[in-house]
């Protein structure tokens, strides 16, 4: 029973992390297209058809959603205990995010025929944003599991 509960919890966390990776790609694109960010970092502005460029990048979402749980699982991110040290889980997450950035760079490189105007900052910001979003999710989950209510609920009661 406990093994099944842990497996279901792991699948839910994988789905949430996949959605967080997709959200971080969208946030990275929106940050790169924002006029204030362009001015602050002295970047080249996007051309006027920035929506058309993003419409051509929508195909990357299924790739990100499919690959992100696999990469994190390969790093051992989901197979560790819930109360493991932060250093271990953040190192696994950092390696997974770096691999996802490399996968995104390769996917954008091979899609040069579809999209000719992709900013180089998008994959870098994608990696950072995805790392911090998953860290926030991980801290929230660990805070819930360490609360008194979760401890009382997680114990098996024998009659």
């Amino acid at each position: 029973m406990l093994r099944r509960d842990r497996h279901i919890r792991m699948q839910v966390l994988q789905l949430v992390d996949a959605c967080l990776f997709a959200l971080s790609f969208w946030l990275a694109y929106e940050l790169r297209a924002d006029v204030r960010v362009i001015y602050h970092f002295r970047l080249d502005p996007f051309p006027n058809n920035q929506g058309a460029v993003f419409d051509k990048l929508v195909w990357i979402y299924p790739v990100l959603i499919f690959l992100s749980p696999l990469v994190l699982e390969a790093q051992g991110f989901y197979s560790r205990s819930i109360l493991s040290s932060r250093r271990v889980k953040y190192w696994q997450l950092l390696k997974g995010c770096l691999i996802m950035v490399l996968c995104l760079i390769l996917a954008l490189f091979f899609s040069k025929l579809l999209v000719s105007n992709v900013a180089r900052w998008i994959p870098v910001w994608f990696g950072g944003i995805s790392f911090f979003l998953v860290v926030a999710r991980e801290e929230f989950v660990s805070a819930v599991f360490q609360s008194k209510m979760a401890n009382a609920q997680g114990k098996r009661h024998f009659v």
Side-chain angles (χ1 to χ4, degrees), residues 11 17 20-21 79 92 114 116:
Q11 287 178 338
D17 289 344
L20 288 176
F21 272 89
S79 61
Q92 292 170 341
L114 295 174
S116 62

Side-chain angles (χ1 to χ4, degrees), residues 5-6 8-17 20 77-78 80-84 86 89-90 132-151 153:
D5 291 342
R6 184 174 178 182
I8 290 171
R9 185 181 318 124
M10 182 182 71
Q11 287 178 338
V12 169
L13 290 178
Q14 286 177 339
L15 179 65
V16 169
D17 289 344
L20 288 176
F77 187 69
Y78 298 114
R80 60 178 169 63
S81 70
I82 298 231
L83 301 175
S84 65
R86 285 188 171 119
K89 65 182 169 184
Y90 293 155
F132 287 113
L133 284 177
V134 177
V135 163
R137 194 258 326 143
E138 190 67 30
E139 287 298 319
F140 177 75
V141 168
S142 65
V144 167
F145 279 115
Q146 290 177 355
S147 70
K148 290 182 181 180
M149 183 182 78
N151 287 336
Q153 186 180 11

